[in-house]
Amino acid sequence: MKALLALPLLLLALVVTGCSDEDNTPSTDGNTNGTEIEVGGGDALQWGDGGYGVVLAHGAVFDAASWERQAAAIADQGATVIAVEDIAPESIAAAVAKLQNDGHADVALVGGSAGADAIVQLASQQPDLSDQLVLLSPNRVVDGLGGEPKLFIASEDEPVANVSQQLADSSPGDDNVVILLPGSAHGQNIFAGENADAALDAILQRLAN
């Protein structure tokens, strides 16, 4: 079932499950800096050592370190997280391979804007590569995505907001969810505005499932 969730519905769900802006953000113990590693010959940052694998791909004007707060929160709930510096599909695939070689059978791909576009390109070429996709403000529609669960997050007033819904509608699978947040922030800029906690909470809930 494909779903379109508005912010009020998302916040209501958080209240129903007993979560709030104060108690639903995992503690990072003040340590948000990732460990520098090399993946596929390129630089990357790693957080955590949990059983679930997550690869982060940043937007064009961002870098791997821009994911620090989100990566630390994801790691805190039991994941090993790698943010690649080079967001080419090949680099993202190399990070997935590293996590799988290290024993992480399931790996989620999370990207913002240009990073989201690189992920959908990779996922359309290798539809069985990842366990699920989480995409912030993808810019283009592609064919060939697999049936893995997909979460699309965008701002309702940004120019590419419709792309998320088009991808959800055109992709196979029974768990393609779209969340449109108020405002016009694009990609990782969502984390700099008033919807930052709502976006992160949605990502954490999805990756915890």
Side-chain angles (χ1 to χ4, degrees):
M1 178 183 297
K2 299 177 177 66
L4 173 62
L5 299 180
L7 181 60
L9 181 58
L10 174 63
L11 294 179
L12 176 61
L14 295 178
V15 172
V16 170
T17 55
C19 298
S20 70
D21 288 346
E22 293 180 358
D23 65 16
N24 198 50
T25 301
S27 170
T28 60
D29 297 325
N31 182 19
T32 60
N33 295 324
T35 300
E36 294 182 2
I37 63 171
E38 183 177 301
V39 174
D43 295 333
L45 294 172
Q46 179 173 320
W47 292 260
D49 58 359
Y52 190 60
V54 178
V55 176
L56 305 176
H58 60 80
V61 299
F62 293 89
D63 59 11
S66 66
W67 288 110
E68 284 181 355
R69 178 172 179 260
Q70 296 79 38
I74 294 168
D76 271 358
Q77 68 175 19
T80 299
V81 183
I82 294 177
V84 293
E85 202 66 69
D86 179 1
I87 60 170
E90 297 79 11
S91 298
I92 298 169
V96 174
K98 173 177 171 49
L99 286 166
Q100 291 175 338
N101 290 338
D102 289 344
H104 302 85
D106 295 321
V107 179
L109 301 180
V110 180
S113 190
D117 293 345
I119 285 173
V120 295
Q121 179 181 341
L122 175 62
S124 68
Q125 296 166 349
Q126 301 184 52
D128 297 324
L129 181 66
S130 65
D131 176 58
Q132 59 179 318
L133 305 179
V134 177
L135 305 172
L136 286 81
S137 304
N139 296 289
R140 61 192 183 95
V141 178
V142 301
D143 296 323
L145 295 180
E148 70 277 280
K150 307 170 195 71
L151 172 63
F152 302 91
I153 299 175
S155 297
E156 58 188 2
D157 294 329
E158 63 172 308
V160 296
N162 64 314
V163 173
S164 291
Q165 190 64 58
Q166 290 177 39
L167 280 167
D169 291 342
S170 64
S171 299
D174 297 326
D175 193 6
N176 299 333
V177 175
V178 178
I179 296 175
L180 294 180
L181 300 168
S184 59
H186 177 72
Q188 287 167 263
N189 288 308
I190 292 172
F191 296 124
E194 61 183 9
N195 298 313
D197 289 342
L200 179 56
D201 286 341
I203 293 171
L204 293 176
Q205 289 189 38
R206 174 51 70 105
L207 295 179
N209 293 333

